[in-house]
Amino acid sequence: MTSDLRWPGGKSAAAAFTFDVDAESAVLWGNDAVAARMSVMSHQAYGPLVGLPRILELLDTHQIPATFFVPGHTAHRYPAAVRRIVEAGHEIAHHGYLHEQPTALTLAQEIEALDRGLQALAEVAGVRPVGYRAPMWDLSWRTPELLVERGFLYDSSLMDADHPYELAVGDGSVVEIPIQWALDDWEQYCYLPDIAGSGLIESPRKARELWQLEFDALRAARACWVLTNHPFLSGRASRAAELGDLMRYVVGHDDVWTTNLGAIAEHVRTLHLPPRTITRPGPA
Amino acid sequence: MTSDLRWPGGKSAAAAFTFDVDAESAVLWGNDAVAARMSVMSHQAYGPLVGLPRILELLDTHQIPATFFVPGHTAHRYPAAVRRIVEAGHEIAHHGYLHEQPTALTLAQEIEALDRGLQALAEVAGVRPVGYRAPMWDLSWRTPELLVERGFLYDSSLMDADHPYELAVGDGSVVEIPIQWALDDWEQYCYLPDIAGSGLIESPRKARELWQLEFDALRAARACWVLTNHPFLSGRASRAAELGDLMRYVVGHDDVWTTNLGAIAEHVRTLHLPPRTITRPGPA
Amino acid sequence: MTSDLRWPGGKSAAAAFTFDVDAESAVLWGNDAVAARMSVMSHQAYGPLVGLPRILELLDTHQIPATFFVPGHTAHRYPAAVRRIVEAGHEIAHHGYLHEQPTALTLAQEIEALDRGLQALAEVAGVRPVGYRAPMWDLSWRTPELLVERGFLYDSSLMDADHPYELAVGDGSVVEIPIQWALDDWEQYCYLPDIAGSGLIESPRKARELWQLEFDALRAARACWVLTNHPFLSGRASRAAELGDLMRYVVGHDDVWTTNLGAIAEHVRTLHLPPRTITRPGPA
Amino acid sequence: MTSDLRWPGGKSAAAAFTFDVDAESAVLWGNDAVAARMSVMSHQAYGPLVGLPRILELLDTHQIPATFFVPGHTAHRYPAAVRRIVEAGHEIAHHGYLHEQPTALTLAQEIEALDRGLQALAEVAGVRPVGYRAPMWDLSWRTPELLVERGFLYDSSLMDADHPYELAVGDGSVVEIPIQWALDDWEQYCYLPDIAGSGLIESPRKARELWQLEFDALRAARACWVLTNHPFLSGRASRAAELGDLMRYVVGHDDVWTTNLGAIAEHVRTLHLPPRTITRPGPA
């Protein structure tokens, strides 16, 4: 069904560069003790301190509007960095408060994480986000309803399509802009002993090949390519250099609409697609 | 011995593209709680929803008859998708009900999984499969007898040969069409946090190199190349593009018989090979 | 010191192709229950059944005398395969009975494993090996003395040199021919769910690059390149094809002495090198 | 801020080759039982016995002054090897006594590790180091103060910058020269069953590509490239050959100041940079 989705201005496909600005939150959640590891904290701090400015410069060079998913904790700890994102004209979206994995929370905890995140983004950046991505890319079956109740336009945490769609939520819906693990930099670059990563670290050349092949193929499918980078990973110098080359490649395709997720979601909403119902698997 | 196996029509080797259509079953079995993770479920749903149609189109383009191993749970959850496989003329084979690992089951449980799987394929697709592949590629020593009792012609779960053979089962036998881990897409592409995968994700270029080198070498050995892809993995756009290129490469070899496993098994049965007895290792 | 080691006939370096013929033993030891997994057993059986004959053919093509480390259990389960190794003129060496990891054994158990292994090789192949390699490449500090007591000429399980040396054992010594993890196929190819492997499987092209670079560099160092392959892994068709190309590359270097470990050990023994004492680290 | 850091003599960037000479200590700490594994001990001993001399030769060939982080245990076990480093004119720096992970220690234990390390380097090599790197690259929040109390000029264990900086410690400061996991050889090469490593081993070609891309990019950023190699890993012949080629590449850039960390730290100290305060994240 979704393959009939029309892009604006006769474009054949869409592309979005998105960034999960996790900083310390991604390792602190569920693991308070890790705060005692100064090197680990510094590894995460590289994101807002060095990676983020470098990425903002790349986006400026290539004139790409991007989406930044910012946990509330990051906003409170690095307010100036988060404000720079807004000042540069990019979209800020919701990514929990302390990067809480929704499926590990009670309903009350999930509500608290959502509302604390909203409050932090309002306080620090004066922003009310319209988009959400589940920390750990691990949406619960409750999350879509909580998003609709709070007026969110879109979610970007599911993996069952190449094209955005309207996800049915009660009588309404939320736009879903799907993602996939192969378009994430975590699997290519992340290594934190005892915390995360396979233990191997890939060359930026390999990561770029992987992402660019998928861009070519999703473009041919008239679909929506959504890349996710973490400033503490892809903000490193050579990775950012490859990312910049990839940006040049992507924007070099005139038939592709390169924009942020908010703009894509707004467009999808104008199409009045029939909402799609997803059923939770029951006991077999 | 099996190196003397003759292929029909003077062909020098055989090649089969096979697909394990696991969808949600592969992660739900033995782990009910994972149903609560909406993103994980959506990752698996990509297979029948998007990957499978794309793969069917590739097979049509290259005019390749393929084999799809379909768990009963997938058939019940995605009946239209499974019927499309049948309508396209491909073979449906057995892959458990909820992708149950045979070696983790009691005899009664293994029987139940087999019979529920048969019933689901009959109900949904009107099919009585002649082929079986053990979920997790983990055949128990009981399975061959259970297959013979149910009239299966072949199994495709063992790894001790490059050529098909007759596996002795009591006074009879079942055709065995061997597989190998290096001709599987799981090791190259699968990543599901806390569930599966090494944590790394390979480029489709690398996977294709690996599979094509083995095709060249098994062809030279006059053997049987059996590739296994999962629609939720290799149905992704760029992976499917590489898979399509590989299909073109394989069918471009006129001396290779590219067909489904059912046809290979029928041919092997006509050869009246002496059944081979495999003995379970005892205590050392 | 060892860099002054002279090779016979004015050769500048030595190279050996060695094979650990583990078959089922490597997964059965310490894990009886794995015998219930027919597919896993078949994965290991591929070694003696298919991989070994293919490797023997390669060695014959390139006229390379090789060393095969054969656990007693493999000899008892595949006597014909083991005899073919002997008939082809290759060296058989000791690799435990059931691939027992020496450091996990009591002294009595280590003695039993050594003596059962000797007995099995005598019974099946009429061979009294002069060489030993610890299963899991995990020599205990007791093993060298046990080897000397049984008249072994050499061990090949340590990793602290590029050149062979005399390892002091009491008043005597045993020749040590060092190995290294990067010259092993296990890390590149092995995948057995829940049992072994990183989960990734590399292309034979990558493995060959790795091994060939080390050959070039150890040749330049006038040292001893010892490659280890497992027939159940590198006996696969495309891996064997790359291994064959590597054999051609190695024997194409006239200045390198390509031979088996027994011949290398005999040569080293003639040099009357001063034995080297290795001290076990004490508490810090 | 730090991007304004000026390099001496109008150089545009700095580069340092550093070596963590862990030998046995890295695996013995917290795991006494591993001393029973003779092969594992020999794998570590390769570093001081073979890898280190090879690396010293490379540094001499390319006329590069380097920094060696030497645990006290290594100094006591391999005094001649450590003295050769000093004699060759390289810098010796502190790396704990038995490679103790600072964040796993009590304050008293951390002090003891620091002081035992100092004493060992004094005894063996007559050296009082001015630099420190935390074992496991895992600095505790206490460590900087302990370093200042002992008169250290610099630390090299944090990961939050591309340029060195002054890290505020009470009223004073210590120069911090940041590192990163992608410029370490452990992730590319290390494999010790049951102890360390992802299980995969990369080709030296891939490691070099990764490190060289980051050199190019950090040079463009006018920053400080700090590579870390372990002699027991990168001292292997083909890895050392690639490392030598990389050295040639780096010193071939006249605009880059290739030197040791001590020289970089002294330069940074002359700049009188305002110390930077890092705050430990509190409970969220």
Side-chain angles (χ1 to χ4, degrees), chain D residues 1-282:
Chain D
M1 51 176 179
T2 47
S3 59
D4 298 331
L5 191 148
R6 300 287 170 84
W7 298 108
K11 297 283 187 181
S12 58
F17 290 87
T18 73
F19 300 89
D20 291 359
V21 193
D22 298 339
E24 291 89 344
S25 65
V27 298
L28 284 173
W29 180 75
N31 189 6
D32 281 354
V34 86
R37 299 175 63 179
M38 192 181 185
S39 296
V40 172
M41 292 298 100
S42 72
H43 179 266
Q44 300 304 112
Y46 185 90
L49 296 178
V50 185
L52 186 57
R54 183 172 278 147
I55 285 165
L56 288 173
E57 199 177 316
L58 287 175
L59 292 168
D60 184 59
T61 299
H62 299 289
Q63 288 293 297
I64 296 174
T67 300
F68 291 80
F69 292 93
V70 180
H73 187 269
T74 299
H76 278 146
R77 191 161 164 88
Y78 302 99
V82 173
R83 283 184 205 118
R84 277 190 64 182
I85 300 172
V86 179
E87 286 155 16
H90 298 291
E91 178 190 11
I92 299 272
H94 196 294
H95 201 45
Y97 184 78
L98 192 66
H99 204 265
E100 302 88 348
Q101 185 172 3
T103 58
L105 303 179
T106 63
L107 173 59
Q109 287 170 327
E110 191 171 352
I111 288 171
E112 189 193 358
L114 274 174
D115 290 341
R116 283 185 80 190
L118 284 173
Q119 193 178 345
L121 296 180
E123 285 169 10
V124 170
V127 163
R128 172 78 191 193
V130 301
Y132 174 81
R133 178 174 288 160
M136 317 292 286
W137 297 15
D138 204 37
L139 208 68
S140 87
W141 294 91
R142 294 180 303 240
T143 322
E145 186 173 351
L146 299 177
L147 295 177
V148 169
E149 287 170 3
R150 278 155 189 76
F152 280 91
L153 171 62
Y154 76 90
D155 170 71
S156 181
S157 316
L158 296 180
M159 312 190 188
D160 53 3
D162 293 332
H163 300 77
Y165 56 89
E166 291 279 357
L167 172 66
V169 180
D171 295 338
S173 65
V174 67
V175 173
E176 175 61 37
I177 307 178
I179 50 178
Q180 55 166 304
W181 292 116
L183 291 178
D184 179 24
D185 61 355
W186 192 282
E187 295 73 21
Q188 307 304 318
Y189 298 146
C190 191
Y191 175 62
L192 274 171
D194 310 321
I195 297 175
S198 69
L200 272 183
I201 296 177
E202 293 288 36
S203 164
R205 286 271 160 81
K206 182 257 180 160
R208 188 197 168 179
E209 175 184 293
L210 181 68
W211 299 336
Q212 189 166 314
L213 286 172
E214 187 69 2
F215 172 80
D216 293 340
L218 285 175
R219 176 178 169 242
R222 308 184 67 80
C224 185
W225 178 83
V226 181
L227 182 68
T228 300
N229 291 88
H230 295 76
F232 75 90
L233 294 172
S234 289
R236 292 277 169 193
S238 57
R239 297 169 185 167
E242 286 291 329
L243 182 60
D245 287 349
L246 181 58
M247 288 178 180
R248 182 178 301 110
Y249 181 83
V250 167
V251 298
H253 290 78
D254 287 343
D255 63 318
V256 176
W257 185 35
T258 302
T259 188
N260 61 33
L261 298 188
I264 291 173
E266 282 177 23
H267 167 70
V268 170
R269 181 52 54 94
T270 67
L271 299 177
H272 302 290
L273 301 173
R276 175 173 153 200
T277 299
I278 305 184
T279 313
R280 176 175 168 159

Side-chain angles (χ1 to χ4, degrees), chain B:
Chain B
M1 48 175 180
T2 48
S3 59
D4 298 332
L5 190 147
R6 300 286 169 84
W7 297 109
K11 298 283 187 182
S12 59
F17 290 87
T18 73
F19 300 89
D20 290 359
V21 193
D22 297 340
E24 291 89 343
S25 66
V27 298
L28 285 173
W29 180 75
N31 189 5
D32 282 353
V34 87
R37 298 175 65 178
M38 192 180 185
S39 296
V40 172
M41 292 297 100
S42 73
H43 179 266
Q44 300 303 111
Y46 185 90
L49 296 178
V50 185
L52 186 57
R54 182 172 279 146
I55 285 165
L56 288 174
E57 200 176 314
L58 287 175
L59 292 169
D60 184 59
T61 298
H62 299 289
Q63 287 292 297
I64 296 174
T67 299
F68 291 80
F69 291 93
V70 181
H73 187 268
T74 299
H76 277 147
R77 191 162 164 88
Y78 302 99
V82 173
R83 284 185 203 118
R84 278 191 64 182
I85 300 172
V86 179
E87 286 156 16
H90 298 291
E91 179 190 11
I92 300 271
H94 196 296
H95 201 45
Y97 184 79
L98 192 66
H99 204 264
E100 302 89 348
Q101 185 172 3
T103 58
L105 304 180
T106 64
L107 174 59
Q109 287 170 328
E110 190 171 352
I111 288 172
E112 188 193 358
L114 273 174
D115 290 341
R116 283 185 80 190
L118 284 173
Q119 192 178 345
L121 296 181
E123 284 169 11
V124 169
V127 164
R128 172 80 192 193
V130 301
Y132 174 81
R133 178 175 289 160
M136 317 292 287
W137 297 15
D138 204 36
L139 207 69
S140 88
W141 294 91
R142 293 180 303 237
T143 323
E145 186 174 350
L146 298 176
L147 295 178
V148 169
E149 287 170 5
R150 279 155 189 77
F152 280 90
L153 171 62
Y154 76 89
D155 170 71
S156 180
S157 315
L158 296 180
M159 313 190 188
D160 53 3
D162 293 332
H163 299 77
Y165 56 88
E166 292 278 358
L167 173 65
V169 180
D171 294 340
S173 66
V174 66
V175 172
E176 175 62 36
I177 307 179
I179 51 179
Q180 55 167 304
W181 292 116
L183 291 178
D184 178 26
D185 61 355
W186 191 284
E187 295 72 21
Q188 308 303 319
Y189 297 146
C190 191
Y191 174 63
L192 274 172
D194 309 322
I195 297 176
S198 69
L200 272 184
I201 296 177
E202 293 288 35
S203 165
R205 286 272 159 81
K206 182 256 181 162
R208 186 195 169 181
E209 175 183 295
L210 181 68
W211 299 335
Q212 189 167 314
L213 286 172
E214 187 69 3
F215 171 80
D216 293 340
L218 284 175
R219 175 178 169 241
R222 307 185 65 81
C224 184
W225 178 84
V226 180
L227 182 68
T228 300
N229 291 89
H230 296 76
F232 75 90
L233 294 172
S234 288
R236 293 277 169 194
S238 58
R239 295 168 185 167
E242 287 290 328
L243 181 60
D245 286 349
L246 182 57
M247 288 178 180
R248 181 178 302 110
Y249 181 82
V250 166
V251 297
H253 290 77
D254 287 342
D255 63 318
V256 175
W257 184 35
T258 302
T259 188
N260 62 33
L261 298 189
I264 291 173
E266 282 176 22
H267 167 70
V268 170
R269 180 54 52 96
T270 67
L271 300 177
H272 302 290
L273 302 173
R276 174 173 153 200
T277 298
I278 306 183
T279 312
R280 176 175 168 161

Side-chain angles (χ1 to χ4, degrees), chain C residues 62 146 216 284:
Chain C
H62 299 289
L146 298 177
D216 292 341

